Amino acid sequence: MNNPHADIIIVGAGIMGTSAAFFLRRRGYSVLLLERGLVGQHASGTNFGNVRRQGRFLPQLALANRSREIWGRLPELIGDDIEFIPSGHLRVCFRPEEITRLETYAQAPEARELGLRIYQGAAMRALFPYLGPDVMAASHAPFDGHANPRLSAPAFARAAVREGVELRENTEISTVDKVGELFHVTSVSGEQFQAPRLLVTAGAWGSRLSTQFGEPVPMQPHGPQMAVTEPLPYVFKEVVGVLSDVTEEVIYFRQIPRGNVIFGGCYRSRPNLDTLRAAAEPKGLLIQLPQLKRVAPALARANVIRTWSGVEGYVVDDRPIMGPSHQVDGLYYAFGFCGHGFQLGPGVGDVMAELIDTGTTSTPIEPFLISRFAQYQAPLDVALAGSLAR
């Protein structure tokens, strides 16, 4: 038995798990953070890097706002620069009915902190001259931006370790059980860990662990198709994304100060959760490049120097799982963020630490509770019997 005195075990060291570990340690808890591979190896380190609030599910904006406040003070909070740039974010569209959707969203009370303004015609062309002729309108969020996902989870992990968190990488979990007041976590290699509280932040693999407690979540893995160009003159200051119900049109891109343009969207592959791999498929690039040209014609001849993908977990209703277990005291979840978790990460960690510490949270998370999938859940004794039989 290892580290029997930890107050809480966290399974999964992406940006959710590392930030939760950091904030829990700040609240005085001893924390054991377990990661099957390396910190930030999957969705947290392979995503687009969007620190975006506009366009989110409106009940999620309170959480996004809390997270944005933390993003604004990260260097002083964690002692690391993860290249957050509040560059602004443009959400553009191609059709008149989509303009109405942009306007309706901007007028929603929940969106008042975003500072949204809708631009069309000559005003839009004057402010954002790089937009192509098909673009009819652009919603500008001045306080949104982007950051480097490869740096983010490792930076939170280093800060958490400095605070006293115990981190174990290359520790894959096979089973989780609760016996009496303690959770028993067993690794594939046979190591056992115990603590009175357990937080599952295992991303696309989260449902595999929640299922062991009779709380399966209907979700699927997807692999975003990402690419980066050669360095170009630094002219695209804003992050740009397309509003459309046509999947193949939803391109998004950002330029970093050294000139490279990072882009993604339009197509997703189907990863393999057992091999931990998601393919960067050439089909994705063939769909993306015409859409990139459509939004920003100046990028038509840019050379792509690298492509990649990652493993992201998508819940059937496109909302994350976040909050306490519906069946087990001391068990908590934060996974399945449907490709939208990077901006939320610091806020999720802070909210989960508050919830675990006080039993409640000042930021509403009711739409994300696992209890909404109660119809899928098995009796707890049946679930535990299945867990022990594996």
Side-chain angles (χ1 to χ4, degrees):
M1 181 175 64
N2 303 92
N3 198 24
H5 304 298
D7 296 319
I8 183 166
I9 294 172
I10 300 178
V11 179
I15 194 168
M16 309 296 175
T18 55
S19 62
F22 173 79
F23 287 115
L24 280 163
R25 188 72 194 106
R26 281 284 180 101
R27 288 176 176 264
Y29 289 83
S30 59
V31 181
L32 173 60
L33 177 59
L34 304 177
E35 166 56 41
R36 71 184 304 162
L38 301 177
V39 168
Q41 183 175 355
H42 294 291
S44 293
T46 59
N47 68 83
F48 175 62
N50 216 353
V51 184
R52 167 189 66 85
R53 291 178 294 170
Q54 82 156 323
R56 290 189 178 277
F57 176 55
L58 287 173
Q60 197 179 72
L61 279 179
L63 176 60
N65 291 340
R66 180 166 177 168
S67 195
R68 174 60 181 83
E69 187 276 330
I70 298 171
W71 275 103
R73 56 186 176 91
L74 277 188
E76 62 179 1
L77 182 67
I78 64 174
D80 253 314
D81 178 12
I82 55 180
E83 299 178 4
F84 170 56
I85 302 174
S87 60
H89 178 274
L90 284 185
R91 200 174 189 213
V92 304
C93 67
F94 302 128
R95 301 171 181 86
E97 61 270 23
E98 292 162 350
I99 300 175
T100 301
R101 289 171 60 183
L102 291 176
E103 292 172 339
T104 300
Y105 190 91
Q107 294 163 6
E110 296 92 335
R112 61 184 177 276
E113 292 187 30
L114 276 59
L116 299 177
R117 293 191 63 180
I118 312 296
Y119 295 95
Q120 302 179 57
M124 181 183 73
R125 304 291 168 195
L127 287 171
F128 315 110
Y130 54 80
L131 294 176
D134 284 358
V135 175
M136 296 188 68
S139 174
H140 183 233
F143 311 119
D144 288 353
H146 57 100
N148 190 333
R150 291 184 175 273
L151 302 179
S152 302
F156 264 107
R158 287 191 296 270
V161 169
R162 287 195 298 269
E163 293 285 335
V165 168
E166 181 180 352
L167 169 64
R168 293 202 176 203
E169 296 179 296
N170 298 309
T171 304
E172 181 178 356
I173 301 308
S174 60
T175 60
V176 288
D177 303 289
K178 189 175 186 185
V179 180
E181 297 300 314
L182 292 177
F183 289 93
H184 293 241
V185 178
T186 304
S187 73
V188 170
S189 63
E191 290 182 287
Q192 295 187 353
F193 310 94
Q194 295 181 6
R197 299 176 185 86
L198 178 69
L199 171 59
V200 175
T201 55
W205 295 267
S207 183
R208 290 189 171 186
L209 296 178
S210 68
T211 297
Q212 296 188 24
F213 287 98
E215 298 181 297
V217 175
M219 58 188 294
Q220 292 183 335
H222 290 294
Q225 301 299 292
M226 308 299 307
V228 62
T229 72
E230 62 187 330
L232 302 167
Y234 185 44
V235 296
F236 305 105
K237 302 300 194 296
E238 300 82 15
V239 182
V240 181
V242 173
L243 165 65
S244 175
D245 291 328
V246 181
T247 299
E248 291 77 10
E249 292 182 341
V250 183
I251 192 78
Y252 40 83
F253 68 90
R254 65 185 179 96
Q255 188 174 27
I256 57 178
R258 57 183 169 268
N260 306 81
V261 175
I262 301 162
F263 63 91
C266 301
Y267 176 75
R268 296 188 301 231
S269 65
R270 181 58 62 87
N272 186 316
L273 290 182
D274 294 320
T275 64
L276 319 182
R277 293 291 182 266
E281 299 182 4
K283 177 182 178 180
L285 198 59
L286 293 174
I287 298 172
Q288 290 167 335
L289 291 176
Q291 295 301 325
L292 193 63
K293 175 184 176 181
R294 185 183 186 189
V295 176
L299 293 174
R301 300 184 66 180
N303 291 315
V304 175
I305 61 174
R306 185 168 67 90
T307 62
W308 70 94
S309 187
V311 183
E312 297 180 337
Y314 281 72
V315 180
V316 67
D317 61 0
D318 207 34
R319 302 178 194 175
I321 301 299
M322 184 177 172
S325 165
H326 185 53
Q327 298 209 41
V328 182
D329 289 340
L331 176 61
Y332 302 87
Y333 302 117
F335 66 84
F337 282 82
C338 308
H340 304 148
F342 184 64
Q343 189 275 344
L344 296 173
V348 170
D350 193 28
V351 167
M352 294 307 298
E354 179 188 20
L355 176 65
I356 291 167
D357 184 35
T358 69
T360 187
T361 172
S362 55
T363 299
I365 59 172
E366 285 77 12
F368 317 127
L369 298 178
I370 200 169
S371 57
R372 71 186 189 273
F373 295 118
Q375 69 269 28
Y376 296 97
Q377 296 173 3
L380 183 57
D381 55 348
V382 173
L384 289 179
S387 171
L388 293 171
R390 275 189 280 274

